[in-house]
Amino acid sequence: MPNLDHPAYPADDLFHLESLVPCRESQVSMLLSIFGERQQFSFPSIFIYGHTSSGKTYVMQTLLTTLQLPHVFVNCVEYFTSRLLLEEILIQLQNRSPGTEQTSPVHCDTLNDFVRLFKQAVASQKLQDETLYIVLDRAEQLREMEANILPAFLRLQELTDRNVTVVLLSEIVWELFRPNIGCFEPFTMYFPDYSIGHLQKILSQNHPPEYSADFYAAYINILLGVFYMVCRDLKELQHLAALNFAKYCEPVVRGEANERDTRKLWKNIEPHLKKAMQTVYLREISSSQWERLQHDGGEPGQLKGLSAHTHVELPYYSKFLLIAAYIASYNPVRTDKRFFLKHHGKIRKTNFMKKHEKTSNHLLGPKPFPLDRLLAILYSIVDNRVVPTANIFSQITSLVTLQLLSMVGQNDQLDGPRYKCTVSLDFIRAIARTVNFDIIKYLYDFL
Amino acid sequence: MSTCSVSKGCFVFKPSTKKRRLSEKTDHYFRSTSNDSEDTVLRFITCQSLWSQIKSETEQIQEDMNKQLLDNLVSFLSRSHSDFQEKTTEWTSRMKFREIPTAALVLGVNVTDHDLTFRGLSDVLQNNITPYVALLEAKDCPGIKNLMQKLMGQLMNCDIDVDSLEDEDCVQVSQNKIRCSMPSLISWYESVTKKTDSETPSEKRNSSSRHWQSPPVVVVFKDMESFTTKVLQDFIVISSQHIHELPLVLIFGIATSPMIIHRLLPHSVSSLLCIELFQSLSCKEHLSTIIDKLLLTSHFPFKLGEKVLQVLINIFLYHDFSVQNFIKGFQLCIVEHFYSQPLSVLCCHLVDIKKRVYSLSHDQCENIRRLPSFRRYVEKQESGKQIELLTNDSFLKEETEKLLEDLHVYHENYVSILRCLHVFTSSLPKYPLGKQIRELHCACLENQVWETNEYESSLQLARMLNKTDLVTMLQQCVEILVSSSGKEFDKTVKHLKEFLTQFQNLEASEASQEQDVSVSSQKELQKKTDLYHLQKTLLELKESRRSKKLTKFEMLRFEVVDYIDRLVRKYLVPAGDRTLHEIVYFNAATVLRGHLNAAPRTALHTALNNPHWYLKAFSTVVTAAEEPNGDAASSDQVDDIIHARFIRAVSELELLGFIKPSKQKTDHVARLTWGGC
């Protein structure tokens, strides 16, 4: 085991740190060597990336707090404008030491102001001879702010002329950040995914006090066996482990098996976990509902998941409008004559269509169509006469608000509005069935 | 109130605050069109009071129907953050990820009705759970920034409302300065909850005792479908980071299906939520209840005719599924009826009829004589009475009162028998007379139901019902008739009960008889050996099976069905056949259709084809904002300036390409625009 070792920090702290960040020792020691001693200038900006829950945020936070390094930790999703972000950094900086708490509101609109105020804050907090770390979590959000924010943060050390290091945490690679005008290249560092062994080790660490570590480790083993294929998110796994542990313990509590009876315990828990994978994991039913089910000993079959309620009840003409929109979206305009005119004659599919139209329209996705075409198709597919009343038009609008249709290019006022149908084939078939309309006969792709 | 926009679209103008003046004006409109002898004021008052009764009734129905849903939601909310205060140190709760409790509220596609539900919801929440409820709409939140602004604005204001009004202004100012971020929201929440804790409740007791120490903050997304993915994702990610400090609960208002959650949110975000599903009652059931409580009752004197009801139901089923629109349509019917029918003054409760009939003027009596149904009635009377009815006002009044009372009784009986018939028809295979009672009602209103083919076939099917079904139906009918207000049904109930006892007595006797018949016939078969005789007996046997061999049960079944048939023929006479039905029934379907089914394209087409109408419409729109000054507006002459403006506007629109000349033989628009040249 590579023991963390650094002359600048006390060995006790390092040992404690190591116990807190299992399976990330090499990354931590790398970071420590980049950081150097407290007063030494470090690399101006560090870019850390890795998948969801590969411990980026956790490692950084633990490292900085355990070694008591001065730092500011900001989540860029939460502070969605540059002003909020800069102000938040300054506020955290001011409130670092509890004695000098200021409540005067900070106003910082531009980076120029920020640099000035930052220098003041550093002076007032007496941080001149220590490296200050600014950690920007979910740094990909920075790209959506003003163009100067990201480059400025990368060379903040130079701009402020203070001992500061900016750490960017992100789930995507640096190449997607690099602005096309170029910028200071940060030191990039990759946090690899936890392997199954790592996950096993980390998850087993927090065993409940009532049970032995081995017992819990065996449980984690079974859990990973079921879930590792679909989910490697540590947080999610931990959540699932906590949710289902009570069920695992059941035979032991009832006295039917002892803690070593792994086979019996496995038989008890395995189908349960599989069911959990189909329901709770997909958020088909909520975890509190799952717990209640477990508690009452009921079958999960009684509770219908979210996707069981796919049926949408629509007014009669709305159904036909949607069907007409679907036909208009997926049929080439030239075929309308063939489908909706009485004496259309015989048209062979092969020589009738141009070459590019031979590919399946369902693979290409819906195409926009004008309002008039929609209404024309509607009139020909509804049996009785439809009067184009305001009700019909308002129905189109309400279908748009329900996201069953979507409007395309609404800026054009002179032409009529154009729409696209966004529902799936299964959905439209279900709708068509309720009004006894055989939609397949009207779709060019299925001819 | 005007807009300078040239763009297409509807513009909504909220009514000004002068509500009181508005209602007086309506009164004035009622009066100005007809002369005083026709009781316009009384009609107006009757109309108002009737509508207010109906309105409160519908609100009550709405409340009752949503009660179940709201109760479920309230219990969900109250247990969602039950562990927030206790700060449990238990292992499972420490290990578990704190998800945001989320209620997915599936409300159906009738978006217009949702507002009412949400208003009820927020009232209930504020009364029972928490004062902190924010309702967000997608159109206000194009970005996460706007969402946070809106959210904080609503939350912080709702607290201020409790305090005195004076403070509001200064807080309003400072609110702009508050940073729109989660920490400021959290610090606000902490300060608010601390305040209610420390403040010994003297003035606020009732409000704080209903809520808990740290009430959850409820955020309602009214139209989930319209929110953009990014806004929702960002908000959920942000709030899940602060769920330990701020007990947040989300409510998603969903119009289509809960699958939309998965479509809008990726797994990484939806895994932050603890989603439970709540489903509101379907709007069709809602409509059935409304029809049941408003139309199929004798509480309200006003009734809808068949055509009108059909128009309203069609709009509901074919177009919008909106119960609110149905009620609005119903309201329009009431107003139209009282406005256009002078005799609607008699459309009142039974107790008032006598007084109103005797205070009718001579003109009104003439109005009665002009009613088609009354003329038909007169023709059937003997000649002496005919003369009396047509000349003697006081005799007419006596007769009218009697007829109106008859009409009232007819209606009470009608409803009860209709329900009985519905008990039968709603359990027949394929529902020849419709599954819902509203369909049956329409069929009975339209014409004599017993002459339709559907009725014939349902009677035939009823003759094939089995015994248990028949008995339960009869029992249901007895219940309906006993609980009904009609007085004539004592005999009917007795008759039905007799049938029931007969069915019970059958059981014992039937079994033995059945056996008898079959055994004897079999014996006869065995006796005959001659071929000719055998054939003859077999034929006889077949014949007898077809015609004669009715068991007692079958006989009884025929009797029951015949009895029901007799009831139907007696009581379910269509309302159009009743004398004086015009007073109570509103039948002007074409008027209603004209009001409700606007046809913009047709209207545009005709308007543009006739430039004079176009001009008139233009001048109406332009002068709409001004006070109508009586005679000047009504005259056909259009102001010269308006005329000039019109011509100019038309040519501009033509230049922009919004309209074009019709290229017909007389090119109206072109000629109008360029005059004679």
Side-chain angles (χ1 to χ4, degrees), chain B residues 156-397:
Chain B
M156 296 185 176
N157 265 352
C158 78
D159 181 50
I160 290 152
D161 280 347
V162 182
D163 296 333
S164 63
L165 277 164
E166 291 159 48
D167 298 357
E168 203 165 274
D169 287 335
C170 60
V171 179
Q172 203 82 46
V173 175
S174 67
Q175 188 208 308
N176 288 334
K177 288 180 193 158
I178 293 177
R179 304 172 67 241
C180 273
S181 64
M182 227 37 182
S184 32
L185 195 62
I186 290 164
S187 63
W188 163 81
Y189 181 77
E190 272 169 7
S191 71
V192 164
T193 43
K194 213 174 280 169
K195 201 167 75 189
T196 40
D197 278 357
S198 58
E199 212 169 89
T200 35
S202 53
E203 36 163 358
K204 270 194 182 178
R205 178 178 309 173
N206 46 358
S207 73
S208 59
S209 62
R210 275 174 303 165
H211 309 309
W212 322 328
Q213 295 264 295
S214 46
V217 175
V218 181
V219 182
V220 183
F221 294 89
K222 279 174 150 184
D223 41 354
M224 177 80 173
E225 280 90 356
S226 311
F227 276 91
T228 54
T229 319
K230 185 158 175 12
V231 171
L232 276 178
Q233 279 184 34
D234 283 356
F235 180 72
I236 292 169
V237 168
I238 293 171
S239 35
S240 90
Q241 268 167 0
H242 294 283
I243 190 74
H244 292 274
E245 296 136 293
L246 188 72
L248 202 69
V249 180
L250 305 182
I251 295 179
F252 292 155
I254 296 173
T256 49
S257 80
M259 286 297 281
I260 195 84
I261 296 176
H262 292 314
R263 236 167 69 182
L264 282 174
L265 304 174
H267 183 253
S268 62
V269 177
S270 65
S271 67
L272 302 173
L273 302 175
C274 172
I275 307 167
E276 276 189 40
L277 192 68
F278 295 89
Q279 202 136 23
S280 75
L281 213 63
S282 94
C283 45
K284 282 183 183 167
E285 276 172 56
H286 195 160
L287 181 79
S288 302
T289 320
I290 290 278
I291 288 182
D292 202 51
K293 293 269 168 66
L294 291 188
L295 301 180
L296 300 178
T297 168
S298 43
H299 291 310
F300 305 111
F302 176 76
K303 309 281 189 284
L304 289 181
E306 187 266 335
K307 291 245 171 56
V308 170
L309 184 58
Q310 204 67 59
V311 167
L312 289 181
I313 289 177
N314 279 354
I315 289 178
F316 178 86
L317 289 179
Y318 284 11
H319 293 295
D320 57 9
F321 268 179
S322 165
V323 178
Q324 291 310 310
N325 278 357
F326 182 85
I327 293 169
K328 283 267 159 61
F330 188 53
Q331 183 185 11
L332 182 69
C333 293
I334 295 174
V335 172
E336 186 64 37
H337 180 66
F338 280 93
Y339 173 72
S340 59
Q341 174 60 269
L343 289 170
S344 60
V345 69
L346 298 179
C347 179
C348 59
H349 290 286
L350 200 55
V351 278
D352 300 330
I353 280 184
K354 192 166 184 169
K355 212 177 84 199
R356 292 198 180 180
V357 167
Y358 285 106
S359 57
L360 286 181
S361 63
H362 176 68
D363 284 353
Q364 287 283 56
C365 291
E366 285 302 312
N367 278 334
I368 293 178
R369 284 177 191 130
R370 255 178 251 130
L371 291 178
S373 68
F374 187 75
R375 293 212 326 239
R376 250 178 283 142
Y377 171 75
V378 170
E379 276 159 24
K380 276 185 218 146
Q381 307 303 315
E382 56 194 78
S383 59
K385 202 176 172 189
Q386 275 182 3
I387 294 165
E388 276 289 287
L389 279 173
L390 293 177
T391 53
N392 189 347
D393 274 1
S394 57
F395 183 75
L396 174 78
K397 281 175 187 174

Side-chain angles (χ1 to χ4, degrees), chain A residues 148-159:
Chain A
N148 65 339
I149 297 283
L150 180 63
F153 268 121
L154 289 172
R155 52 175 71 220
L156 195 64
Q157 199 176 73
E158 185 185 327
L159 290 173

Side-chain angles (χ1 to χ4, degrees), chain A residues 75 78 283 287 292 390 395, chain B residues 99 241-242 271 276 319 598:
Chain A
N75 187 332
E78 199 178 332
R283 294 308 189 269
S287 39
R292 247 175 289 146
Q395 262 170 290
Chain B
E99 293 167 315
Q241 268 167 0
H242 294 283
S271 67
E276 276 189 40
H319 293 295

Side-chain angles (χ1 to χ4, degrees), chain A residues 164-442:
Chain A
V164 58
T165 291
V166 177
V167 183
L168 304 172
L169 306 180
S170 177
E171 286 177 16
I172 55 178
V173 291
W174 168 247
E175 279 66 32
L176 296 170
F177 276 77
R178 197 179 284 141
N180 32 14
I181 44 166
C183 67
F184 181 83
E185 290 285 316
F187 178 82
T188 51
M189 204 174 152
Y190 176 58
F191 272 43
D193 284 351
Y194 290 116
S195 69
I196 188 162
H198 289 163
L199 288 174
Q200 168 86 41
K201 190 176 167 196
I202 298 167
L203 286 171
S204 322
Q205 224 173 27
N206 292 311
H207 64 90
E210 304 92 344
Y211 294 95
S212 71
D214 284 346
F215 179 64
Y216 192 67
Y219 166 63
I220 291 297
N221 198 10
I222 295 170
L223 184 89
L224 281 177
V226 176
F227 280 102
Y228 186 70
M229 289 301 285
V230 291
C231 172
R232 298 175 187 198
D233 188 331
L234 187 61
K235 259 187 265 173
E236 187 76 21
L237 284 170
Q238 201 166 31
H239 182 67
L240 288 167
L243 273 184
N244 296 307
F245 188 58
K247 178 83 180 173
Y248 184 69
C249 298
E250 235 170 43
V252 181
V253 174
R254 272 192 264 129
E256 289 168 8
N258 64 11
E259 291 196 10
R260 306 205 168 280
D261 228 344
T262 35
R263 194 176 155 66
K264 208 167 196 178
L265 291 172
W266 179 77
K267 266 205 162 157
N268 174 44
I269 193 72
E270 219 245 349
H272 187 72
L273 287 180
K274 286 230 165 107
K275 226 167 262 168
M277 187 162 75
Q278 286 156 12
T279 52
V280 198
Y281 172 65
L282 295 175
R283 294 308 189 269
E284 284 285 295
I285 63 175
S286 74
S287 39
S288 61
Q289 280 172 325
W290 179 253
E291 275 188 317
R292 247 175 289 146
L293 267 181
Q294 246 175 37
H295 195 259
D296 306 339
E299 276 293 300
Q302 305 160 352
L303 249 176
K304 276 207 231 158
L306 290 186
S307 50
H309 300 262
T310 45
H311 175 66
V312 178
E313 216 173 337
L314 287 171
Y316 188 70
Y317 282 143
S318 291
K319 285 178 185 169
F320 275 108
L321 272 171
L322 205 58
I323 292 169
Y326 193 86
I327 292 172
S329 267
Y330 286 98
N331 278 358
V333 183
R334 288 149 44 86
T335 58
D336 282 359
K337 214 172 152 191
R338 184 224 172 283
F339 284 121
F340 303 113
L341 234 56
K342 265 193 184 136
H343 307 291
H344 55 74
K346 268 198 180 159
I347 304 165
R348 284 268 178 87
K349 190 180 179 183
T350 39
N351 50 21
F352 172 60
M353 289 335 285
K354 290 173 195 154
K355 202 169 188 186
H356 66 92
E357 281 169 332
K358 278 182 190 161
T359 43
S360 164
N361 289 300
H362 279 81
L363 288 178
L364 295 172
K367 291 189 186 60
F369 53 87
L371 174 66
D372 288 330
R373 187 168 166 225
L374 172 71
L375 291 177
I377 296 180
L378 174 75
Y379 299 147
S380 51
I381 60 174
V382 180
D383 287 337
N384 39 1
R385 210 173 69 86
V386 190
V387 191
T389 58
N391 285 327
I392 295 276
F393 293 109
S394 71
Q395 262 170 290
I396 298 174
T397 320
S398 63
L399 286 176
V400 172
T401 54
L402 296 179
Q403 300 273 298
L404 300 173
L405 297 185
S406 73
M407 210 165 181
V408 192
Q410 41 202 326
N411 307 327
D412 201 355
Q413 297 206 342
L414 285 180
D415 290 340
R418 295 163 71 80
Y419 302 93
K420 256 184 194 181
C421 183
T422 58
V423 300
S424 64
L425 181 64
D426 287 339
F427 186 90
I428 204 72
R429 285 180 74 172
I431 293 276
R433 211 173 301 129
T434 58
V435 288
N436 290 326
F437 181 81
D438 188 8
I439 188 161
I440 295 296
K441 260 179 25 195
Y442 286 87

